[in-house]
Each structure stands twice: as C-alpha cells, then as structure tokens.
C-alpha cells in the first residue's frame, strides 16, 4: 500500500496548531500537538516549556511518525481507515484507537494492531468502518469531563476527519 502519512500529518497539524499551555489541558505545555511529556520521551529528556515552544516542526513530525503512525501500522491499513485511526490515536491514545478498530473488525481486542487486525480490516466495508470509528470516537469524547471546554473543536475535528477519511476510501477503493 502507498503511505498516506504526509496527508495525515498535514491534517493532524492543522488541528493541533501551535504552542499552548492551557490549565484545562492535562498535556501541559504543547506544541504542534506534542506534549512536554512526549517531547521528553522522544526528543529531549529534560525539555522545558520553552523547549516545547521552540520545538522544530520536523521534530514534531518525527514524533508523530514513530509514536502514532507506525504504532497504528498506518502504512498497512486501508486508505481512510489509516487516517481515521491515526488521528484518533493522536487525540485520544494509540491503544484506545487500536481497540476501537479491533472491536469493529471482530478480532481480539488488545490495543496493538498486528497482522490479524490488518487482515480483518482489509475484508471490512471500509466506509462503514470509518463511520463506526468516528462515531465511537465522538461518543468517547462526549463522555470526558473536559468535553464542555473542547466540544466545538473536537466535534469539528471528528467531522472533518470522517469526511477526509471517507473521501480517501472512495478514491483508493472506489467505495
């Protein structure tokens, strides 16, 4: 399969934006959507808020590739599903996104996408699967305590991811 990573990262970065350090966000200082915790784990062990603010975009892209895209086996998932699962993983955790995919395709739910999940995904109605993933994602977000703070942005993001993922599937699979 061809990688959709460049498309996916471009869109994730549109949603994630630049530097923030909001009290309501448990991620703390964040730039390009990369929290200080991930900056310390994947880039600079002693990173400060100022380091996060100055983080080069290429560093953020490298973290996204390693921690999220590769972790959800983005290059092996069908077009559209790859983006929907990747963006969900960025926003709510790779394990949660993987479990939603696994549950939807009827394989063992362990939070790690492997050959069985990939094979089952390839045999699934891709547009229907994208809708299931996005529906579950929105339902999960609505249950969070901080939903009232972020509901407009999160709702818009899920809507935009769904539309883009469905378009990707249509182009790639003629769905």
């Amino acid at each position: 399969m061809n990688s959709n990573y460049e498309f996916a990262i471009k869109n994730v970065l549109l949603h994630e934006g630049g530097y923030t350090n909001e009290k309501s966000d448990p991620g703390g200082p964040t730039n390009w959507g990369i929290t200080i915790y991930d900056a310390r784990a994947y880039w600079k062990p002693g990173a400060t808020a100022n380091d996060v603010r100055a983080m080069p975009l290429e560093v953020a892209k490298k973290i996204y590739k390693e921690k999220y895209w590769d972790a959800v086996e983005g290059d092996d998932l069908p077009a559209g599903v790859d983006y929907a699962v990747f963006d969900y993983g960025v926003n709510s955790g790779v394990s949660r996104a993987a479990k939603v995919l696994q549950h939807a395709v009827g394989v063992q739910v362990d939070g790690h996408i492997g050959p069985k999940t990939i094979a089952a995904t390839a045999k699934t109605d891709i547009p229907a699967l994208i809708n299931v993933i996005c529906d579950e994602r929105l339902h999960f977000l609505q249950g969070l305590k901080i939903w009232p703070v972020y509901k407009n942005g999160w709702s818009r993001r899920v809507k935009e991811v769904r539309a883009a993922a469905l378009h990707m599937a249509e182009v790639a699979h003629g769905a």
Side-chain angles (χ1 to χ4, degrees):
M1 289 186 187
N2 292 329
S3 178
N4 289 315
Y5 176 71
E6 288 303 320
F7 172 86
I9 191 62
K10 181 182 94 174
N11 283 285
V12 163
L13 290 169
L14 289 174
H15 289 287
E16 292 294 341
Y19 181 80
T20 63
N21 191 4
E22 299 176 27
K23 291 192 186 323
S24 60
D25 186 345
T30 303
N31 196 6
W32 311 111
I34 303 297
T35 67
I36 193 167
Y37 308 107
D38 284 340
R40 289 174 178 160
Y42 291 88
W43 173 50
K44 190 181 270 191
T48 65
N50 286 335
D51 291 326
V52 172
R53 183 188 304 270
M55 179 192 311
L57 176 57
E58 291 310 311
V59 169
K61 285 182 175 182
K62 184 174 185 271
I63 294 170
Y64 277 119
K65 178 83 167 68
E66 181 180 338
K67 181 177 181 190
Y68 299 97
W69 185 261
D70 292 346
V72 300
E73 301 294 338
D75 288 339
D76 295 322
L77 292 173
V81 174
D82 53 0
Y83 175 48
V85 173
F86 171 66
D87 194 82
Y88 192 167
V90 166
N91 199 214
S92 300
V94 167
S95 179
R96 174 174 300 285
K99 287 175 181 177
V100 167
L101 174 62
Q102 290 170 326
H103 179 74
V105 300
V107 297
Q108 180 181 347
V109 177
D110 64 8
H112 299 285
I113 296 173
K116 290 179 183 174
T117 303
I118 292 164
T121 301
K123 297 175 188 170
T124 303
D125 177 329
I126 300 302
L129 178 57
I130 291 167
N131 282 316
V132 166
I133 292 166
C134 291
D135 289 347
E136 193 289 329
R137 178 179 180 183
L138 190 58
H139 177 75
F140 167 72
L141 292 170
Q142 290 168 338
L144 296 176
K145 289 181 198 171
I146 57 175
W147 170 253
V149 177
Y150 296 105
K151 67 181 177 182
N152 293 335
W154 285 346
S155 295
R156 183 180 68 249
R157 182 172 180 163
V158 173
K159 181 180 177 183
E160 291 173 4
V161 167
R162 182 191 309 261
L166 288 169
H167 179 73
M168 291 169 72
E170 182 179 341
V171 168
H173 308 288

